[in-house]
Amino acid sequence: MKERGYHVVPQWKVSGKRIDLVVVGETSRLAVECDGSPYHSTPDQIRDDYERERELRRAGWQFWRIRSSEFALAPEDSLTPLWKRLDALGIQPGVTEEVQGDSGSTWAPVEMDDADLTADELDDMLDEDASVSLKGV
């Protein structure tokens, strides 16, 4: 991402949580989560990671996920959907916003219709979302 000129911040801190990478643009930013061992290998680690993502989505963050195995096999092909997503969000290389990290912001959850989902329903929803993000939609 940096080779293409994007402003990338690793381990972005927000409300006591961390996002693997954040690609910052002039008016928007995209959280990029890198899935794979050793941090995303057990069911509990995977669930915790998706729960953190869900909380941050409720606070307005947009996410894109990539699996380490996909990147290892075909780095350029695996990132093609990311370039499309960044373009769709108006995030361009070489352009950044001034504010980074928490910068004094406070996080508060918002009500969502799916608050009563079972754990299995949440897993299905997150699996579908991850699959879509990997396809570049």
Side-chain angles (χ1 to χ4, degrees):
M1 288 178 262
K2 284 193 166 214
E3 287 177 6
R4 287 189 175 222
Y6 289 96
H7 183 72
V8 181
V9 181
Q11 295 300 304
W12 182 295
K13 294 178 189 176
V14 60
S15 299
K17 301 173 186 327
R18 289 185 185 264
I19 299 170
D20 291 340
L21 303 169
V22 174
V23 185
V24 182
E26 186 173 346
T27 59
S28 63
R29 56 190 172 214
L30 178 66
V32 176
E33 287 291 304
C34 306
D35 296 338
S37 22
Y39 302 107
H40 302 90
S41 54
T42 69
D44 287 339
Q45 290 170 328
I46 293 167
R47 180 177 306 279
D48 290 346
D49 195 47
Y50 275 108
E51 286 176 7
R52 176 186 49 80
E53 179 180 330
R54 183 170 183 253
E55 288 177 17
L56 291 172
R57 280 182 183 271
R58 291 173 67 184
W61 281 90
Q62 294 187 51
F63 281 79
W64 186 83
R65 288 187 167 272
I66 184 164
R67 291 189 173 109
S68 62
S69 57
E70 291 176 6
F71 182 80
L73 292 173
E76 289 302 316
D77 291 342
S78 68
L79 293 176
T80 298
L82 174 62
W83 311 137
K84 291 177 184 176
R85 181 77 178 271
L86 291 169
D87 188 51
L89 292 172
I91 299 173
Q92 301 297 317
V95 181
T96 64
E97 64 180 11
E98 290 297 318
V99 179
Q100 297 179 14
D102 269 339
S103 66
S105 66
T106 57
W107 176 87
V110 294
E111 292 298 318
M112 290 182 69
D113 292 337
D114 63 356
D116 295 325
L117 289 176
T118 66
D120 288 339
E121 290 170 328
L122 176 59
D123 286 345
D124 290 343
M125 180 181 75
L126 293 171
D127 287 343
E128 288 172 15
D129 187 48
S131 172
V132 168
S133 71
L134 289 172
K135 292 178 184 174
V137 174

